[in-house]
Amino acid sequence: MADVTDYKNMNGIALAYIGDCVIELEVRTFLLSKKIYDSATLNRNALSFVKASAQSAAFEKIEPTLTEEELSYYKRGRNTHTAKTPKSASAIEYRRATGFEAMFGYLYLSGQSERIKELFSLAYSDVEII
């Protein structure tokens, strides 16, 4: 098994892979804190957070608050070349979203749980729950 504490040597895709889970857990925790318990409503609202266009917009909101190290991990993910882009997002949005996920992967693997919560709150402060 790979040493997941060796995040400094992971490529952007590996960081985004774990970062996707980190963001998903934050989204689910947030939605449950709003006392939403119906699965259809949970899934519909989760899309407001996890689709590439939403993550791209969320990144733009937090970019000025990021440290140099956080930005470097974002860029590692953003600059990763992937074979496909989803139909629901532009190539730029998808690359930004991958960078966003990679940065959250770095934060998780480096044990920065408070920073994850802080950036998640800033990034999604204006998302409306329906």
Side-chain angles (χ1 to χ4, degrees), residues 91-106:
I92 291 170
E93 288 172 325
Y94 186 67
R95 291 181 70 176
R96 258 194 225 128
T98 303
F100 184 72
E101 291 173 344
M103 183 194 64
F104 273 92
Y106 148 71

Side-chain angles (χ1 to χ4, degrees), residues 4-5 7 69 73 103-113:
V4 294
T5 61
Y7 60 88
E69 189 166 24
Y73 282 94
M103 183 194 64
F104 273 92
Y106 148 71
L107 291 170
Y108 172 76
L109 292 172
S110 63
Q112 299 183 57
S113 57

Side-chain angles (χ1 to χ4, degrees), residues 12-13 16 52-53 55-56 59 73-82 84-86 89-103:
I13 291 295
S53 58
Q55 289 181 345
S56 177
F59 171 75
Y73 282 94
Y74 161 77
K75 290 175 183 176
R76 187 182 300 186
R78 182 200 63 193
N79 294 338
T80 300
H81 296 287
T82 55
K84 285 185 151 185
T85 302
S90 71
I92 291 170
E93 288 172 325
Y94 186 67
R95 291 181 70 176
R96 258 194 225 128
T98 303
F100 184 72
E101 291 173 344
M103 183 194 64

Side-chain angles (χ1 to χ4, degrees), residues 1-20:
M1 184 162 144
D3 181 8
V4 294
T5 61
D6 190 22
Y7 60 88
K8 291 179 182 178
N9 293 315
M10 286 184 185
N11 66 29
I13 291 295
L15 290 166
Y17 178 75
I18 193 75
D20 177 62

Side-chain angles (χ1 to χ4, degrees), residues 108-122:
Y108 172 76
L109 292 172
S110 63
Q112 299 183 57
S113 57
E114 288 304 312
R115 185 65 171 157
I116 289 169
K117 292 182 184 330
E118 178 185 350
L119 289 176
F120 182 85
S121 291
L122 286 170

Side-chain angles (χ1 to χ4, degrees), residues 32-48:
L32 291 174
S33 78
K34 298 295 183 188
K35 308 231 184 290
I36 301 170
Y37 304 126
D38 173 66
S39 64
T41 305
L42 287 166
N43 289 326
R44 184 175 54 254
N45 278 286
L47 282 177
S48 301

